[in-house]
Structure formats: structure tokens, C-alpha cells
Amino acid sequence: MALPAAAISLFVSSLPALADLKLCNRMSYVVEAAIGIDDKSATATRGWFRIDPAACRVVLQGALTADRILLNARALGVYGASPIPQGGNDTLCIAPENFIIAAARQCRTGQTPAPFTQVTPTQTDDGNLVAYLAEGSEYDDEQARLAGIQRLLVIAGYDAAPIDGVDGPKTQAALSAFLKNRGLSPDIVQSPNFFTAMIDAVQSPSATGLTWCNDTPHKIMAAVATDDGKAVTSRGWYRIDPGKCLHPDVIGQPKQVFSFAEAVDGENRTVKLKDKPLNWGGTKELCTRESKFEINEQGDCGSRGLSPIGFAVVDMTGGGKTLRFAMP
């Protein structure tokens, strides 16, 4: 989206008293949305509403009177560090799982502040309201759905790039290989549950490529690096929820692959056991930063405002490797 403001297409200056509010996703990501309802001196938030690419979901029903409607959206953890920029003039409280917060301007235990953007939805012919989540690519529904499929195919290790929402032999070959390897019928592509099936496949071990599996009770943030013989590129962070697996997007046939992973708590602070960080790395020092990154030049990390971290070499000679992160 360009979520903040440019991300959401909205019109009409006032909200009717009787109308359903619907969010429609024209992004190439499966997203979870939270809404804020600002009515005079009271502000409440509610989330999370999962919305697949090219799908819509009613997030408010019936008699709605509000001074303002606000929105926060996040991509699922399968995509790694959130690709959706967050911004907005209002900071309201959210929770990690499904929530309703009545007084959302003063966060309590288990709640965290997050930026919300004010939106003014479009009124449709049936009298209801709709707001669109959109990327800079400005996909229509068909393009958003195809781009969403392409993105998950790439994450699962299939060559469906570029992610552009344009169909062609390359995308179809990748999709056919994915369906065959996962034992899925071609008919499932038109199923409303297809994105769920794809995400389940991405979050399960694979016989090809690199797979991370989180066997701990903690959230894990991971980074991968590849050496193509000319340069080493490090990329992160990928979020791996407890009990889930994830395929980082390792493109091409790199000569070497490196991995680093670290367990974090609900506030993204490093988990420590006996005063030692709970992480999985090695001796290959590469550059990272705290936020989402892709770094093509290694060395002199500190002088460039980057953080050096020890990565482990991953043996990919068997064509595929699953790294399982467990408690010591």
C-alpha cells in the first residue's frame, strides 16, 4: 500500500449512520488489518481481520456513527519483515492476537502502540462503504491475486519472478511445479482457500532450497546470506512463529548460503538463557541492521552504521537443507 496515506484509496467526507464497512485488498500480500473507531472523546480498536489478495472483508456492520475511522495493516509473518510501511498521525493500542480494546489511547499490559492512518471510505451503490488497500503498483483485483500467487511461489523456492501480476509461461510453469510437488489438484487454484494452502506449503519443510523451522516457544527473527561468486548479499529479517517453518527467498544457484537466527520476545528483545542470547549462527561475519535490510557489500560494517553478526555456513550439497531451531 502505500499505507500510510497514499496506500488507501478513499473518498466521501462523512460516514452514514447505517452502513457496513468493507476492506478490499489489492496488494500482493495476505494482510491482517486493525481498525480504530474515534467517536468524540472515546477511541476503540479491533483486529485482526485477515484479507487475501483480491478479497474483501466486512470489518464493521450496521449502525455506525463515528467521527473518524482509522486503519493499521500488517503482512503475515511468512513474508519476513513487514513490507508494509506504517505511518499515521494517531498512535493507538493493538495486541498480538485477535483483540478488542475499548480505551485504545492508553496501552495496558500485553498491548503495544502502533501508528494508525485516518481513512475516508468510498460509498458504494448499495449504500455500504469500502476502502482499498493498494500497493504502488496499483494492481486491479486480477493482477493483485496473480501477484500474490507469484510472491508466495518465490518464497516457496519457485522461479515466478518478477512479481508483477502479469501471467505468462514462467509463472504457469512455477505454479504447475508447486501444485505437483505438493500433491494439489489444479482445481484448488480457483478455491477461496488457495492462499491458505499456499501459506501452509511455504511454512512446511521442503526437499529443495533452505528451510528454517522454529521448534522453540519463542518468535524467531532470521537472516540469510548468499555468495554468488562475485559478492555476498545478506538479507533479513524473516519472522518464524513458534511451530512454523519458512523458506527464505534464495534466488538462483549461489555458491554458498549462510544463516543466522535469534529468538526474541513480544517486544522484539533478544531472549537470553543464563545471560547468553538464544541464537543460531557461526563464524562468518556479515553486515546486518535492526530493521529490514538487503546489503550487497560486506566488511567495515560498524563504520557504515551496520551491525556485524556471525552467520553459519549452510551445506546445500544435497539440494535442500532444513535448519531446525530448538531450545538447548
Side-chain angles (χ1 to χ4, degrees):
M1 342 247 196
L3 194 150
I8 311 169
S9 323
L10 305 157
F11 312 90
V12 181
S13 58
S14 61
L15 300 175
L18 294 172
D20 290 346
L21 173 61
K22 184 164 54 176
L23 294 181
C24 295
N25 181 8
R26 287 182 174 170
M27 304 181 69
S28 59
Y29 301 92
V30 178
V31 302
E32 293 176 322
I35 58 170
I37 304 170
D38 197 0
D39 186 15
K40 298 180 174 61
S41 60
T43 304
T45 55
R46 181 180 180 184
W48 295 95
F49 301 95
R50 172 176 156 158
I51 315 172
D52 292 343
C56 297
R57 182 165 179 181
V58 173
V59 296
L60 285 174
Q61 288 183 309
L64 169 65
T65 55
D67 294 329
R68 297 190 306 153
I69 297 294
L70 304 113
L71 177 66
N72 173 282
R74 66 185 187 184
L76 296 189
V78 70
Y79 298 105
S82 180
I84 302 177
Q86 299 292 348
N89 297 325
D90 288 78
T91 300
L92 306 179
C93 303
I94 61 172
E97 306 299 332
N98 293 342
F99 67 89
I100 298 176
I101 301 173
R105 292 194 180 275
Q106 294 182 335
C107 300
R108 301 180 179 181
T109 302
Q111 302 172 3
T112 55
F116 276 69
T117 302
Q118 180 177 350
V119 298
T120 308
T122 306
Q123 188 167 6
T124 58
D125 292 340
D126 60 7
N128 293 317
L129 301 167
V130 62
Y132 293 96
L133 311 181
E135 289 181 70
S137 303
E138 297 184 352
Y139 299 124
D140 60 24
D141 285 341
E142 183 179 351
Q143 292 167 336
R145 189 175 191 278
L146 183 56
I149 292 171
Q150 290 171 328
R151 189 172 298 283
L152 287 171
L153 286 172
V154 169
I155 293 174
Y158 297 84
D159 186 5
I163 299 165
D164 55 8
V166 178
D167 201 1
K170 192 176 181 182
T171 296
Q172 288 302 315
L175 180 57
S176 296
F178 166 80
L179 296 173
K180 180 180 179 181
N181 293 341
R182 297 292 174 174
L184 299 173
S185 166
D187 295 340
I188 197 174
V189 177
Q190 303 306 322
S191 165
N193 297 321
F194 183 51
F195 280 100
T196 298
M198 290 198 76
I199 289 170
D200 288 344
V202 171
Q203 292 183 322
S204 61
S206 172
T208 61
L210 173 62
T211 304
W212 288 311
C213 290
N214 181 1
D215 295 335
T216 80
H218 306 288
K219 179 175 66 176
I220 286 178
M221 303 302 289
V224 67
T226 54
D227 182 354
D228 63 4
K230 298 178 181 179
V232 177
T233 301
S234 55
R235 186 184 301 111
W237 296 95
Y238 299 84
R239 188 179 86 199
I240 315 166
D241 292 325
K244 300 294 185 179
C245 297
L246 179 67
H247 307 289
D249 46 341
V250 176
I251 300 171
Q253 300 293 326
K255 295 182 179 297
Q256 278 192 305
V257 175
F258 307 90
S259 171
F260 174 83
E262 184 171 64
V264 298
D265 63 16
E267 297 181 3
N268 289 325
R269 297 174 299 191
T270 302
V271 172
K272 293 187 177 181
L273 296 179
K274 297 180 179 179
D275 295 328
K276 292 186 178 180
L278 180 58
N279 59 35
W280 299 264
T283 58
K284 179 68 173 179
E285 193 170 273
L286 299 173
C287 299
T288 67
R289 64 165 56 95
E290 287 188 8
S291 56
K292 182 179 179 181
F293 68 90
E294 181 171 331
I295 302 170
N296 299 314
E297 294 184 8
Q298 308 299 326
D300 297 325
C301 303
S303 64
R304 294 188 288 142
L306 305 173
S307 301
I309 287 181
F311 282 64
V313 177
V314 182
D315 182 6
M316 302 291 291
T317 55
K321 182 69 174 183
T322 297
L323 299 180
R324 307 199 75 96
F325 306 125
M327 301 298 291

